[in-house]
Amino acid sequence: MTYGSIRHVASCQHAGCQESTRHDALTVQARMILAEMTVSIERIATIGLEGGFIAALAMVCLLQYIVHLYRRRNALEDSERLRRELNVREIELSGLQSDTALAQLENRILREFIAERDVDVAVNRLLRYFCPEPSTGFAAMLVTDTQGLACKAVGVTPKVARQFRIEPHVLVRLKERSVLCLKGIELTQSSLYAVLDVETRRHVHELYLVHADLGQQANVVLVATSLFPASVEFGRRRDLASRLVSGIGCHVRRTVSQEAQEQELRVTREILELRSIADLHFQSPLEMLQEFLGRLAAVTGFHQVSLYLSPKQKGEMQMLIRHSSPLSRETSIRWSSDEHQLTLQQLETSPLYHFDSERLQDILQTRDLIFQEAVVVPMTQQDQCVGLLCLSRAAVSPLHDSEYELLLWASNYLLETLLRTADRAVIEKQARRDALTGLENRHSFDTAILEHLQHALRTGKECALVLLDLDHFKLVNDRYGHLAGDEALRTVARIIQEHVRNMRSTDRAVVARYGGEELAIILPGIGLGGAMRIGEMIREEVEQTLCTYDQVKFNITLSGGVAVAPMHARGVKTLISLADQALYQAKTDGRNRINSATPQEAPTPTH
């Protein structure tokens, strides 16, 4: 072998020790060495024994080197294969870790949801995962069935959330895919996008709809501007959202169904209570209607409920009867005026009209609303509107379907009652009322005091009588005119009615014009202390109230006398006489005060 060949072999040995040498290069080198060995063997035959020994030794070294290269090649191939397998295992392990983290997150969310007793809180917490920053997006959960739609949302106002609807063709596609993404024209033309305000639309570039079919035409749909967690690839986020909605869907649906059933039971119970009012004893149909409106206001949460009738000749609706929560005079006047404006609207064929704050601002042409929500229920007979039931309140509160049903039932029930008793009620009202003050007249007072006193003596309860008289009323007439005196009487009558209406008593009080400028209050079930307190509150408000007539303002005061049966008397004449004596003493003591009667024994009633 030549010196050049040996040097070449040494250089190949050095190259084989480098990590970067590939097995293909080793194969080429081995072939070259084998070729040189063949040449060397041929030369051995031409040289002597000594030279042959050296050549044979070189051949052995070369063979060992060839074996080394072969093993090195196999080792590199094994190393490359192991490296590829390691990469695959690392990718699989990363996926398993991600799946484990998502599974843990999913289990935690489901545990939190199921553990929360208040489903509204649970849904809101879930929506916060999909919308952690409400200022940059929104998330909503819609529960739909044959009864309608319930919606919870974060990132949008309750008013917008109540308007969320999913088009039927979108719902069909959603049922096929479980998860649907709306973007571009499909997004801007959807009803979900249409109800959003301008500011919210700026942050909405795509909407994800995630569906869970609960059977029996019931569906739960999650609507969100993004899916979470953002660090996970989209396919995993989509699957997680689908599993979450499916996992909680049955629970949400069950809860919503329970709430609906509870609402139906509550409405049924309230309807029975309202119907039972007709079975109670009332002196007239008007008193029954007044009690009915009061109960209706209590169960629906409205501050004022009014019943309007349409006159036989075409004209504005006329208020027949009203129940109102305690309001100041100015507030009451404005409230009733704005309510009357609603009755002037051109109502079409809808069985119920709901006015939110925006519609009220348009109709009343003011942003300073006295009440924020109103409902008007027309009462129709043979396609003719014969009356209106108008309900209003100061704060907005969502109306459930069951409450709509209650209001529609109440409207129909009132219509039936009015058809039976309206003419009689109007006649009775006109016959019993004082034309100037609107209070009961003297004849009605005489009938009521006898009935209430007999009832008190029979049941052992108390019955108070308060007689009130305007101070220096003749001077008011002489100084400002009789029309100003009439206005003063009307003002005092209104103050008395408001105080009596607001007192808590199981029996109904009677407020009457006893004669001239003298007014009377019958307070069944009220003792001396309560009657004195009511009289004092009326006296104080009258003293603080300015009467206004023809741009002239003036003050007026009143004096009063209180007598209670059976404490002071057991007969009507004696009771009235003692109250009148207490009133006279209040006048003698300086006026503008309320005095109580002195007890007298009266063993037998005298009528």
Side-chain angles (χ1 to χ4, degrees):
M1 178 178 294
T2 62
Y3 174 75
S5 298
I6 296 174
R7 187 176 63 180
H8 178 70
V9 171
S11 64
C12 288
Q13 272 187 320
H14 182 268
C17 296
Q18 300 298 321
E19 192 66 29
S20 61
T21 304
R22 310 300 299 172
H23 61 270
D24 292 337
L26 293 174
T27 302
V28 172
Q29 292 176 5
R31 288 175 179 174
M32 292 175 60
I33 294 172
L34 286 173
E36 290 186 2
M37 286 178 63
T38 302
V39 174
S40 300
I41 292 172
E42 292 175 353
R43 289 179 180 178
I44 290 175
T46 60
I47 62 177
L49 181 60
E50 183 178 354
F53 177 77
I54 295 173
L57 182 60
M59 289 296 294
V60 170
C61 292
L62 287 173
L63 288 174
Q64 289 180 342
Y65 181 65
I66 290 172
V67 171
H68 168 73
L69 290 179
Y70 178 76
R71 290 177 177 175
R72 178 68 174 172
R73 175 187 174 184
N74 289 341
L76 288 175
E77 289 179 348
D78 291 342
S79 177
E80 181 67 19
R81 178 175 53 80
L82 290 174
R83 187 179 63 81
R84 288 196 300 267
E85 291 181 358
L86 180 61
N87 290 336
V88 172
R89 297 296 181 268
E90 287 179 350
I91 293 173
E92 292 177 351
L93 179 60
S94 177
L96 288 174
Q97 291 175 342
S98 178
D99 289 343
T100 302
L102 284 179
Q104 290 175 347
L105 177 62
E106 179 181 351
N107 292 336
R108 179 166 58 97
I109 293 174
L110 291 175
R111 282 198 305 270
E112 290 176 354
F113 192 93
I114 301 301
E116 179 59 56
R117 294 184 178 180
D118 190 336
V119 68
D120 290 343
V121 175
V123 171
N124 186 74
R125 186 177 298 164
L126 174 68
L127 295 178
R128 285 288 181 177
Y129 282 103
F130 290 91
C131 182
E133 289 294 336
S135 60
T136 60
F138 75 90
M141 181 160 290
L142 287 67
V143 183
T144 65
D145 56 18
T146 56
Q147 301 299 320
L149 178 146
C151 180
K152 307 294 181 184
V154 296
V156 294
T157 63
K159 178 184 175 182
V160 171
R162 288 195 296 270
Q163 298 178 41
F164 278 152
R165 294 293 183 273
I166 300 177
E167 294 92 336
H169 69 276
V170 175
L171 190 58
V172 170
R173 291 175 55 202
L174 185 58
K175 288 182 178 180
E176 295 174 351
R177 304 184 184 182
S178 295
V179 179
L180 189 63
C181 180
L182 303 180
K183 60 175 67 175
I185 296 178
E186 189 177 24
L187 170 64
T188 56
Q189 292 181 349
S190 68
S191 59
L192 291 169
Y193 187 85
V195 299
L196 300 176
D197 57 63
V198 177
E199 182 62 25
T200 304
R201 290 181 184 179
R202 290 177 56 242
H203 306 290
V204 178
H205 307 293
E206 54 190 11
L207 272 182
Y208 295 96
L209 280 64
V210 186
H211 171 262
D213 191 344
L214 307 180
Q216 299 180 349
Q217 299 183 0
N219 304 277
V220 172
V221 179
L222 171 70
V223 181
T225 52
S226 63
L227 301 180
F228 86 105
S231 59
V232 178
E233 55 103 4
F234 177 74
R236 293 175 184 269
R237 284 184 283 157
R238 178 193 58 206
D239 295 343
L240 174 62
S242 181
R243 290 195 302 271
L244 284 174
V245 174
S246 299
I248 69 173
C250 293
H251 183 72
V252 172
R253 169 63 181 154
R254 184 167 56 252
T255 304
V256 171
S257 299
Q258 289 176 352
E259 291 178 352
Q261 292 174 0
E262 291 174 359
Q263 286 285 343
E264 291 179 1
L265 290 174
R266 184 177 67 84
V267 170
T268 302
R269 185 168 57 251
E270 290 165 352
I271 288 176
L272 292 175
E273 290 180 1
L274 289 169
R275 289 185 67 90
S276 67
I277 293 176
D279 299 329
L280 302 178
H281 174 70
F282 295 96
Q283 294 182 356
S284 71
L286 279 178
E287 289 190 0
M288 188 275 288
L289 292 175
Q290 181 74 49
E291 181 68 20
F292 186 94
L293 295 186
R295 290 277 188 92
L296 184 62
V299 299
T300 57
F302 284 91
H303 292 95
Q304 184 161 293
V305 182
S306 303
L307 182 60
Y308 288 82
L309 289 183
S310 175
K312 292 183 179 180
Q313 297 180 351
K314 291 185 178 180
E316 295 182 2
M317 288 283 180
Q318 298 177 354
M319 198 276 292
L320 174 65
I321 197 165
R322 168 178 291 149
H323 172 85
S324 178
S325 299
L327 300 169
S328 66
R329 183 191 178 198
E330 292 77 10
T331 302
S332 178
I333 292 174
R334 186 180 164 195
W335 193 302
S336 299
S337 175
D338 288 354
E339 180 190 87
H340 181 68
Q341 284 290 106
L342 294 181
T343 67
L344 303 178
Q345 299 304 303
Q346 297 296 323
L347 304 181
E348 299 175 356
T349 57
S350 175
L352 185 147
Y353 294 85
H354 179 255
F355 299 92
D356 58 15
S357 57
E358 289 187 5
R359 292 190 64 189
L360 289 174
Q361 289 173 357
D362 293 338
I363 294 172
L364 303 176
Q365 297 183 349
T366 179
R367 293 192 173 276
D368 183 22
L369 297 174
I370 198 70
F371 52 84
Q372 301 293 322
E373 185 180 25
V375 174
V376 175
V377 189
M379 297 184 293
T380 57
Q381 181 187 27
Q382 297 178 351
D383 297 330
Q384 295 292 325
C385 183
V386 298
L388 294 174
L389 179 63
C390 186
L391 306 94
S392 51
R393 56 185 166 196
V396 176
S397 179
L399 279 176
H400 298 285
D401 292 340
S402 56
E403 292 176 313
Y404 278 107
E405 293 177 8
L406 175 62
L407 294 179
L408 292 175
W409 174 86
S411 173
N412 293 329
Y413 183 78
L414 287 172
L415 178 60
E416 294 175 3
T417 304
L418 288 171
L419 291 176
R420 294 195 306 266
T421 63
D423 293 338
R424 175 186 167 194
V426 171
I427 294 173
E428 287 185 355
K429 181 178 180 181
Q430 293 175 347
R432 293 175 47 195
R433 297 287 174 177
D434 173 66
L436 176 63
T437 62
L439 303 178
E440 303 282 341
N441 58 25
R442 176 61 185 270
H443 175 73
S444 298
F445 169 82
D446 290 341
T447 303
I449 189 67
L450 178 60
E451 291 181 357
H452 284 301
L453 185 59
Q454 289 177 342
H455 179 73
L457 295 176
R458 185 170 60 252
T459 60
K461 295 182 178 180
E462 295 179 300
C463 180
L465 171 64
V466 182
L467 292 181
L468 302 169
D469 189 83
L470 276 65
D471 296 329
H472 301 298
F473 188 68
K474 185 176 182 302
L475 292 178
V476 173
N477 287 331
D478 293 343
R479 179 176 299 177
Y480 304 109
H482 288 279
L483 294 179
D486 291 346
E487 180 60 28
L489 268 174
R490 281 192 290 265
T491 299
V492 173
R494 177 188 56 77
I495 292 173
I496 295 173
Q497 282 181 309
E498 289 180 354
H499 276 279
V500 171
R501 186 186 302 124
N502 297 336
M503 74 180 189
R504 298 180 179 179
S505 174
T506 55
D507 299 302
R508 292 194 56 79
V510 177
V511 183
R513 185 179 182 185
Y514 190 70
E517 66 273 18
E518 195 169 2
L519 310 173
I521 311 173
I522 304 172
L523 300 172
I526 302 294
L528 179 61
M532 290 291 293
R533 185 165 56 254
I534 293 171
E536 275 296 326
M537 288 191 296
I538 294 172
R539 183 198 63 77
E540 289 178 1
E541 183 167 349
V542 169
E543 182 183 19
Q544 297 170 5
T545 301
L546 283 175
C547 298
T548 304
Y549 176 75
D550 196 20
Q551 298 182 349
V552 176
K553 297 182 178 181
F554 56 93
N555 288 97
I556 195 166
T557 61
L558 55 77
S559 301
V562 178
V564 178
M567 175 188 291
H568 296 125
R570 299 177 62 86
V572 172
K573 290 184 179 180
T574 306
L575 187 67
I576 294 175
S577 176
L578 291 176
D580 193 57
Q581 291 177 23
L583 170 61
Y584 178 79
Q585 188 61 44
K587 295 279 190 180
T588 304
D589 293 341
R591 295 183 172 81
N592 192 23
R593 65 185 66 227
I594 305 294
N595 283 4
S596 64
T598 303
Q600 294 185 5
E601 293 186 3
T604 57
T606 59
H607 307 308

